[in-house]
Amino acid sequence: MTAASELQFKSVNYTGQGNGPKLIVLGAVHGNETCGTKGILKVMEQLDSGALRIAAGSVTFVPVTNPLAYLKNQRSGDRNLNRNLFPNENPQDFEDRIANWLCPLLAQHDVLLDLHSFNAQSQPFVMVGPRNNDGALQPFQHEEKERAMARILGVHRFVDGWMATYGAGVQRRLRDDSQVETVLRYGVGTTEFMRSTGGYALTLECGQHADPQAPDVAYRAIMNTLAHLGLIEAPAPQPVTGTEYLSMVEVHDRLHPDDAFVKVWSSFDKVAKGDEIGRRADGTPVTAGFDGFVLFPDVNAKPNAEWFYLAKPNGAF
């Protein structure tokens, strides 16, 4: 088994002769999510063979962002790379060392496409950022560009509200205000960091980990993005129709190790107002306060950490 200290980080850049934006595409931020890696390598093969050419701007590919997790074929090396993603002068784990290389690399670019997959059977979806705002949590001014790019990736489901909902949960959970900023930092992953540098970013969940179609979803999204941004000479991709747009609005914490779900939940399972989702250790039911969808249920959540999120349909994307 290769030791973590023997691993290295790799990015590959292709730059055209014309002026254009700087795109970066990540695969395998989580090591068992390999569809992005496969999609990236397919595009790189076309670029290297001359079948495809970057005409303007540049694209940087990172086929394997977390080589230790990839080597282990598991989600993380030492910890989840997609949380608390900041440079660290005193790195404590392998993911800190990735961050010290990756964060400056992200900051050199204008646009990020981060390719992932998920555990349960469901359809692909895109996580988008906030509306334009000057707030303290996640100030942002590229809403139109980010959402226009989301529409051409080739998938039909869009989700927003992650950071705001996570932040509201942190504020509720912590009584010591001095801890709030530290814990909010834990919610920062690749897209949040990219937005903090002045760029815009999307996370595309391409399908279930083992779905043979997921690499094709990743490949199509990369090609559509290259065309959309004008990096290759190709017709502009058309926005998808028949879309579903959800906003995360509520997070429920697990309060006790014996808090339990009443069934096996998967992301995007529908719930009606009053449906029982789980039970507290003392038998108190945890119910849906509105018609919506369960997102990111975590049967292994620790006490005083996120247990599941609820999302509502949103008609205005």
Side-chain angles (χ1 to χ4, degrees), residues 1-13:
M1 186 71 176
T2 304
S5 60
E6 297 177 9
L7 296 172
Q8 58 189 359
F9 308 125
K10 177 181 177 180
S11 64
V12 181
N13 177 266

Side-chain angles (χ1 to χ4, degrees), residues 56-134:
S58 73
V59 58
T60 299
F61 292 111
V62 184
V64 178
T65 309
N66 191 332
L68 180 59
Y70 186 80
L71 193 65
K72 293 180 175 181
N73 191 31
Q74 62 188 36
R75 182 174 175 82
S76 304
D78 294 329
R79 64 168 179 87
N80 185 357
L81 176 61
N82 219 18
R83 295 289 184 272
N84 196 28
L85 185 70
F86 294 95
N88 190 329
E89 292 183 359
N90 184 25
Q92 300 297 304
D93 50 43
F94 187 74
E95 278 74 9
D96 281 352
R97 292 180 174 86
I98 298 175
N100 284 343
W101 161 73
L102 180 62
C103 290
L105 183 63
L106 291 173
Q108 295 168 19
H109 293 79
D110 305 311
V111 187
L112 164 65
L113 177 62
D114 190 3
L115 301 166
H116 288 253
S117 59
F118 45 80
N119 195 38
Q121 290 290 343
S122 188
Q123 62 176 286
F125 65 96
V126 186
M127 293 290 295
V128 299
R131 300 289 185 180
N132 288 340
N133 72 95
D134 295 314

Side-chain angles (χ1 to χ4, degrees), residues 19 47 76 238 315:
N19 294 325
L47 287 164
S76 304
Q238 294 302 303

Side-chain angles (χ1 to χ4, degrees), residues 8-288:
Q8 58 189 359
F9 308 125
K10 177 181 177 180
S11 64
V12 181
N13 177 266
Y14 300 85
T15 300
Q17 295 186 40
N19 294 325
K22 297 177 181 178
L23 169 69
I24 183 167
V25 184
L26 305 183
V29 164
H30 297 133
N32 61 338
E33 300 177 15
T34 60
C35 58
T37 303
K38 294 171 183 175
I40 287 171
L41 293 176
K42 184 175 179 180
V43 177
M44 288 176 58
E45 182 179 353
Q46 291 180 258
L47 287 164
D48 291 339
S49 71
L52 185 67
R53 180 178 65 89
I54 299 300
S58 73
V59 58
T60 299
F61 292 111
V62 184
V64 178
T65 309
N66 191 332
L68 180 59
Y70 186 80
L71 193 65
K72 293 180 175 181
N73 191 31
Q74 62 188 36
R75 182 174 175 82
S76 304
D78 294 329
R79 64 168 179 87
N80 185 357
L81 176 61
N82 219 18
R83 295 289 184 272
N84 196 28
L85 185 70
F86 294 95
N88 190 329
E89 292 183 359
N90 184 25
Q92 300 297 304
D93 50 43
F94 187 74
E95 278 74 9
D96 281 352
R97 292 180 174 86
I98 298 175
N100 284 343
W101 161 73
L102 180 62
C103 290
L105 183 63
L106 291 173
Q108 295 168 19
H109 293 79
D110 305 311
V111 187
L112 164 65
L113 177 62
D114 190 3
L115 301 166
H116 288 253
S117 59
F118 45 80
N119 195 38
Q121 290 290 343
S122 188
Q123 62 176 286
F125 65 96
V126 186
M127 293 290 295
V128 299
R131 300 289 185 180
N132 288 340
N133 72 95
D134 295 314
L137 181 63
Q138 195 180 16
F140 188 57
Q141 299 300 326
H142 295 300
E143 173 192 333
E144 288 189 8
K145 289 182 179 180
E146 188 174 280
R147 294 183 182 227
M149 180 172 144
R151 292 186 182 97
I152 58 84
L153 294 182
V155 305
H156 295 264
R157 176 178 278 166
F158 310 100
V159 181
D160 75 358
W162 147 251
M163 195 63 177
T165 307
Y166 171 81
V170 170
Q171 296 283 357
R172 182 187 68 242
R173 198 175 300 126
L174 291 179
R175 297 177 181 175
D176 181 359
D177 290 342
S178 67
Q179 299 179 44
V180 170
E181 183 176 350
T182 298
V183 180
L184 283 175
R185 284 171 59 95
Y186 181 75
V188 173
T190 57
T191 54
E192 291 79 21
F193 184 85
M194 186 69 186
R195 294 183 192 111
S196 77
T197 69
Y200 59 97
L202 295 170
T203 296
L204 174 60
E205 299 280 356
C206 299
Q208 198 271 340
H209 297 324
D211 185 347
Q213 299 302 314
D216 294 333
V217 174
Y219 171 77
R220 178 182 61 194
I222 298 168
M223 294 296 291
N224 283 0
T225 300
L226 292 174
H228 174 72
L229 295 176
L231 272 63
I232 60 174
E233 295 176 345
Q238 294 302 303
V240 296
T241 57
T243 58
E244 180 181 38
Y245 174 37
L246 306 176
S247 287
M248 299 171 67
V249 295
E250 200 170 86
V251 58
H252 289 255
D253 298 336
R254 195 176 196 181
L255 303 179
H256 188 278
D258 292 334
D259 290 355
F261 291 121
V262 297
K263 57 174 278 188
V264 177
W265 294 100
S266 296
S267 284
F268 303 105
D269 281 347
K270 287 185 177 181
V271 291
K273 182 178 180 179
D275 281 355
E276 189 172 345
I277 298 172
R279 280 187 177 264
R280 298 297 184 190
D282 64 3
T284 302
V286 181
T287 60

